Amino acid sequence: MLRREKRNSIVVDSPSHKLVAKNQEVDGPGARKYGLFYYLKRMLGRARASIAEHNFFGLRWIIEKFNDMDVERIRDIGADRACAEWILRCGGTVKFDDGKPEIADYNTLVQQTAQRSGTFNEKKIFLNEVHAVKACVTARGCRHFEGVTRLHDVVFAGCKNLEDDGINVLVQNVGSTLRTVELADCRYLTNEGLRLLGNCTSLSSVILTDLPRVKDWEKLIDELKSNLPKDCQVVGYPKKK
């Protein structure tokens, strides 16, 4: 007579079927279903990780579309508003020079800027802060900084697609107005790109954290300190192991 056993929430017949330790293969008719469940679970986990890392098939094309620069749009609404739209499109937040809280969604951006600028050309609005945290910004998208004249604070954290060329474009366009720069967990940034921050003339704070491709942190920090204003604070924290 067969004896039924329940182990790990799975009922099997014994001895004709055998259940081994959890997460291991099961013999018998239920084995295929049991194995398929854990296979799908693993694949789902990998897919989620790929999306989080912006490393998913076809996703790169979508990301680049988010970073496209529309020249006509910039002409209609101005560089500051267009740059803000780009950051929001990529998942970041922005703040203007009106003292109001940062903007995280497009509808709020439209309402706030429309109230201040009317047709967008009657009164000038200025972008002061850009916080791109886990945003899909790329070097291509950084061209939106062209024409922005009063940007003071920039944060790029967890931007998996940001490369050294993006830092170059940032410095070339707003390097004279930036006061604080924070770069964290951007896997493609290297010493070559970070050295370009030394060309910024108004920086008072530079924070570099968790950048896996940066080598010789002490040398990099020393180079930045020697090139930046004397009162600029430069700190760096290597990639955590």
Side-chain angles (χ1 to χ4, degrees), residues 37-207:
F37 170 77
Y38 280 100
Y39 171 76
L40 293 175
K41 186 177 180 180
R42 288 196 303 271
M43 294 303 296
L44 180 60
R46 291 176 183 177
R48 287 175 176 171
S50 296
I51 293 174
E53 293 291 317
H54 296 165
N55 185 28
F56 196 78
F57 179 76
L59 189 60
R60 183 68 186 186
W61 179 83
I62 299 175
I63 289 173
E64 289 299 350
K65 293 302 293 182
F66 284 161
N67 285 271
D68 275 348
M69 187 170 69
D70 188 337
V71 177
E72 292 185 2
R73 181 67 172 166
I74 295 174
R75 187 183 301 116
D76 291 340
I77 65 175
D80 292 79
R81 165 72 185 273
C83 184
E85 288 185 356
W86 161 60
I87 292 296
L88 294 183
R89 193 163 59 239
C90 292
T93 62
V94 298
K95 193 172 183 179
F96 287 93
D97 62 337
D98 55 2
K100 293 184 179 180
E102 65 180 8
I103 301 173
D105 67 272
Y106 186 82
N107 291 332
T108 303
L109 173 67
V110 172
Q111 294 173 2
Q112 185 168 321
T113 53
Q115 289 173 359
R116 291 201 59 203
S117 58
T119 60
F120 306 124
N121 292 319
E122 295 177 6
K123 294 181 181 179
K124 184 65 176 176
I125 58 174
F126 297 101
L127 184 64
N128 279 171
E129 299 179 17
V130 164
H131 294 170
V133 179
K134 294 185 178 180
C136 60
V137 298
T138 66
R140 181 177 181 177
C142 287
R143 294 178 299 165
H144 286 85
F145 289 121
E146 296 176 10
V148 177
T149 58
R150 299 189 186 181
L151 185 63
H152 300 322
D153 305 320
V154 169
V155 175
F156 287 130
C159 298
K160 304 299 184 180
N161 296 282
L162 183 64
E163 300 175 339
D164 290 339
D165 288 342
I167 303 300
N168 184 34
V169 176
L170 173 74
V171 173
Q172 286 182 355
N173 289 282
V174 295
S176 61
T177 64
L178 286 178
R179 297 175 183 173
T180 65
V181 172
E182 182 176 350
L183 303 172
D185 191 23
C186 298
R187 61 185 174 187
Y188 290 131
L189 295 184
T190 69
N191 295 59
E192 182 178 355
L194 298 179
R195 289 191 186 99
L196 298 173
L197 295 175
N199 296 322
C200 297
T201 57
S202 302
L203 278 178
S204 59
S205 174
V206 176
I207 301 175

Side-chain angles (χ1 to χ4, degrees), residues 23 35 58 99 181 234:
N23 295 337
V181 172
V234 183

